[in-house]
Structure formats: C-alpha cells, structure tokens
C-alpha cells in the first residue's frame, strides 16, 4: 500500500507540474472574434498581456488599427471607445461600423479600396485605405490633446 501511495503522489505531483508549465507557456488569448456581416474583427488590448497578444497576431489581419491620444503634457496614451466606420471606395456603403473596446482593432477586410472614419471624443479622422491580398495594412491613429 505504501508503494501505491508513493506512486500516486509522484503521478499527482508530475501532473500538477505539467499543468503549471503549460499555464506559463500558454500565451494570453485575444478576445473572441466578432462579426459585422461577413467581416471578422477583434478589438481590445487592455493590459500588457492582451497588448502582447494583439501585437503577435496583427500581421494575420488585413487591417490593423492602433488608437492613441495626446495628453495635456504631450505624451501619447492608448484610448478605447473609438467609433470605426469602414465604407466602400465611393464612401457610399458601410462595410463595418463598430466601437473599439480597447486601443487595438484587427479587421479582416477583402482586398479593395475603402474610406476609414475613426471618431474619438467627437473628433473624426478620415483616411483612404487600400487593402491588398495577403498583406497587412497598419495604421496608427492619434488624436491631439484637448485644449
């Protein structure tokens, strides 16, 4: 019986060690993908672990957006709650209309030309973008400090 108890203790200890090692090696997952029609997107990036996860996978999405705003002391700070509207090349049909849940937004758009409208605290930035097949377009959107 003593051999059985020692063997059980050894297996139990090995199992716990294996689980602990896997937990340390498993990278932080992204928030779950969301859908706007056929467009897949992920938004978030709150905390250093989630930020690292976004940076690891952003090249796998056709459009990667980073949001920040200048503070009154001149530094840039990540921001969330940015309204992101992607419209077709003629700026007539909305392809995507979401609000970011963090400073990063990854979007899987088909190849083509689009108009991007990003609004933070009532200030809208508009950019013409071209998405190429199997390439990543990365944009850093920064808003000026409020007076």
């Amino acid at each position: 019986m003593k051999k059985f108890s020692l063997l059980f203790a050894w297996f139990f200890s090995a199992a716990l060690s294996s689980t602990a090692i896997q937990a340390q090696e498993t990278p932080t997952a992204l928030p779950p993908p969301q859908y706007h029609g056929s467009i897949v997107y992920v938004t978030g990036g709150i905390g250093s672990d989630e930020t690292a996860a976004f940076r690891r996978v952003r090249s796998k999405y056709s459009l990667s957006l980073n949001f920040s705003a200048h503070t009154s002391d001149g530094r840039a700070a990540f921001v969330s709650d940015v309204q992101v509207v992607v419209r077709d090349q003629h700026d007539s049909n909305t392809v995507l209309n979401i609000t970011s849940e963090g400073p990063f937004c990854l979007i899987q758009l088909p190849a083509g030309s689009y108009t991007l409208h990003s609004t933070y605290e009532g200030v809208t930035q508009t950019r013409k973008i071209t998405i190429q097949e199997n390439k990543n377009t990365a944009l850093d959107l920064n808003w000026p400090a409020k007076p």
Side-chain angles (χ1 to χ4, degrees):
M1 186 65 159
K2 188 174 184 180
K3 283 185 181 180
F4 177 77
S5 294
L6 288 174
L7 188 59
F8 177 78
W10 182 84
F11 277 119
F12 184 74
S13 175
L16 283 178
S17 295
S18 174
T19 302
I21 290 169
Q22 287 175 348
Q24 290 173 353
E25 293 175 355
T26 304
T28 301
L30 290 172
Q34 299 178 55
Y35 299 87
H36 183 91
S38 62
I39 306 298
V40 178
Y41 68 94
V42 181
T43 178
I46 305 297
S48 60
D49 289 344
E50 203 171 277
T51 297
F54 269 90
R55 288 182 174 151
R56 254 192 325 275
V57 301
R58 66 181 164 197
S59 65
K60 294 180 167 91
Y61 286 80
S62 58
L63 180 60
S64 171
L65 304 174
N66 302 325
F67 308 119
S68 62
H70 279 95
T71 61
S72 58
D73 63 0
R75 294 182 301 157
F78 285 139
V79 297
S80 61
D81 298 321
V82 176
Q83 181 184 18
V84 177
V85 178
V86 178
R87 298 178 59 87
D88 67 8
Q89 66 181 348
H90 305 293
D91 203 17
S92 56
N93 294 312
T94 300
V95 176
L96 179 72
N97 186 350
I98 61 168
T99 300
S100 73
E101 296 173 6
F104 300 105
C105 185
L106 306 175
I107 306 169
Q108 194 59 51
L109 289 169
S113 296
Y114 301 92
T115 302
L116 171 70
H117 303 279
S118 302
T119 305
Y120 176 68
E121 294 187 344
V123 179
T124 301
Q125 294 186 28
T126 299
R127 307 262 178 98
K128 297 285 187 183
I129 57 172
T130 300
I131 302 298
Q132 297 177 352
E133 194 73 34
N134 299 318
K135 290 198 176 184
N136 173 266
T137 298
L139 294 175
D140 293 319
L141 299 158
N142 186 277
W143 281 264
K146 292 233 173 191

